[in-house]
Amino acid sequence: MQYELKTQVIEPQRQTFTHIAKRYGDKPASRYIEGSIDVQPKENFQYRPTWDPTREIYDDSYSVFRLTDAYSYLDPRQYYYAPYVTARSGHHEAFATSLEYIEARGLLERLPDGWRSVLDELVLPLRHLESAGQLILCGMARFGWGATVTQAAAYSAFDRVGNAQVLSRVGIALGGGTADLLAEAKEHWLQDAPLQGLRRMAEETIVETDWGLALLRLDAVDRLVYDLLYQHLDDQAVVSGAPAYSLVAQHMALVRRQPQVDRRAVHGLARGSRARCDQCCPPRGARRGRRRHGARGRHPLRRPHRRAARR
């Protein structure tokens, strides 16, 4: 008896889920797309939150920024749990390798006095800024609208935790294996006059109820702080005998160079939002008329956003 083996191709009746096919066409979709698009809860909520009964527990009115299509923003990293954990594990293993090299060569002990003061009084205290960034992005993940926006915010919040851990490990290594310098860094954060403006901004942004405005503030500060610490100071470290700082800064800059939620979402908000002012704009469903926002009838939130998008 002879057997003949043949390959038979069975065409699937559909390539992806119906709601994905309506948006992108009936073609194979990535796991990120299938697990992210149109999964935002929109109806059948059991109750309104007791702390804000004017809104649903999930509501797009938690920010003045209301995207016409929340899923117009896609995380360019295509992160869901598995690839995110894999990428971050590799990142922190690379940092651990750099830190082992720094400690083995005694590079922290060889830092010039001025650079040690920079680390003690400026860089290490900013782990509290990273912690504030985590809380801000967690608020965005909770109150934002659209799963592609909120999950990217959640992963960026985890990145902030990772940044704070990097700075903490540097402080422990610089302190000879103790947490003494971390305690001093906290006092610098709480007491030093040059840091109080940054601290005030962080604390005010943590309690900002509008997640869109909080994101704008955080992004503006990140552009200044990260460029100063991990580009300008990194360049100076290379030419002034502080290679240990440069080796640490490369790992902090790596996270920020990646296209996270912050900058891409800010530009998405600027381009796609339909922000309205509750005091002077008619609500949805009301009769449309001329909105009087100054002589030209412009919305007070529109023009700054357009300028930000052009930048």
Side-chain angles (χ1 to χ4, degrees):
M1 180 180 297
Q2 295 182 347
Y3 294 93
E4 183 178 0
L5 300 179
K6 293 183 178 180
T7 301
Q8 183 178 4
V9 178
I10 301 177
E11 295 293 337
Q13 294 184 358
R14 61 179 184 178
Q15 301 291 335
T16 186
F17 297 106
T18 302
H19 65 280
I20 302 294
K22 289 180 180 179
R23 183 180 289 267
Y24 299 110
D26 189 16
K27 57 184 179 181
S30 66
R31 290 185 177 180
Y32 169 78
I33 294 294
E34 291 186 341
S36 306
I37 299 300
D38 292 330
V39 300
Q40 171 68 53
K42 297 181 180 179
E43 57 187 3
N44 300 325
F45 302 131
Q46 294 181 352
Y47 58 88
R48 289 177 178 264
T50 56
W51 39 267
D52 189 0
T54 62
R55 295 186 176 100
E56 296 286 357
I57 192 168
Y58 297 110
D59 201 308
D60 67 348
S61 65
Y62 283 115
S63 175
V64 295
F65 297 100
R66 298 184 183 180
L67 297 177
T68 54
D69 180 10
Y71 297 98
S72 60
Y73 170 78
L74 297 178
D75 187 346
R77 304 168 300 178
Q78 302 280 293
Y79 274 164
Y80 53 95
Y81 182 79
Y84 175 80
V85 171
T86 302
R88 285 297 164 262
S89 175
H91 172 253
H92 282 278
E93 287 178 1
F95 169 72
T97 301
S98 296
L99 187 60
E100 289 176 3
Y101 175 80
I102 291 171
E103 292 178 321
R105 302 291 293 178
L107 297 181
L108 291 174
E109 291 78 5
R110 300 179 189 179
L111 281 173
D113 292 339
W115 280 97
R116 186 178 179 90
S117 298
V118 167
L119 282 173
D120 292 348
E121 300 175 12
L122 176 61
V123 177
L124 292 183
L126 293 186
R127 71 193 190 102
H128 298 284
L129 179 63
E130 296 294 343
S131 180
Q134 178 217 0
L135 293 176
I136 293 166
L137 289 166
C138 283
M140 179 180 173
R142 164 58 185 89
F143 294 104
W145 186 259
T148 54
V149 172
T150 55
Q151 72 178 358
Y155 291 135
S156 290
F158 287 127
D159 286 342
R160 295 287 180 158
V161 176
N163 289 350
Q165 290 175 344
V166 167
L167 294 177
S168 298
R169 293 183 66 180
V170 171
I172 292 173
L174 190 61
T178 68
D180 294 342
L181 287 183
L182 299 184
E184 294 179 11
K186 181 178 180 180
E187 292 303 315
H188 288 308
W189 176 253
L190 294 176
Q191 304 298 336
D192 286 5
L195 294 176
Q196 295 314 298
L198 192 59
R199 177 190 164 204
R200 178 177 180 177
M201 183 287 307
E203 293 177 353
E204 290 179 349
T205 308
I206 288 174
V207 298
E208 171 60 58
T209 57
D210 188 315
W211 62 265
L213 296 180
L215 177 64
L216 290 176
R217 291 181 186 176
L218 182 62
D219 180 74
V221 171
D222 283 349
R223 293 184 183 220
L224 297 174
V225 172
Y226 274 78
D227 288 348
L228 172 63
L229 294 184
Y230 307 121
Q231 292 187 18
H232 174 70
L233 280 184
D234 187 13
D235 292 340
Q236 294 301 312
V238 172
V239 298
S240 58
Y245 182 84
S246 186
L247 288 172
V248 171
Q250 66 173 334
H251 297 285
M252 298 293 292
L254 174 65
V255 174
R256 191 57 188 163
R257 282 198 301 267
Q258 294 182 356
Q260 300 179 51
V261 59
D262 302 56
R263 212 158 287 184
R264 290 288 298 267
V266 166
H267 292 172
L269 289 173
R271 290 193 300 268
S273 66
R274 56 175 189 272
R276 67 180 179 86
C277 174
D278 291 333
Q279 285 75 28
C280 50
C281 295
R284 285 177 291 181
R287 182 176 62 86
R288 296 183 179 274
R290 179 176 176 80
R291 299 177 179 178
R292 297 184 179 181
H293 294 295
R296 298 185 179 180
R298 294 182 181 273
H299 194 287
L301 292 174
R302 291 279 171 81
R303 293 185 66 186
H305 298 165
R306 290 176 180 174
R307 285 199 298 268
R310 287 198 295 269
R311 291 175 188 172

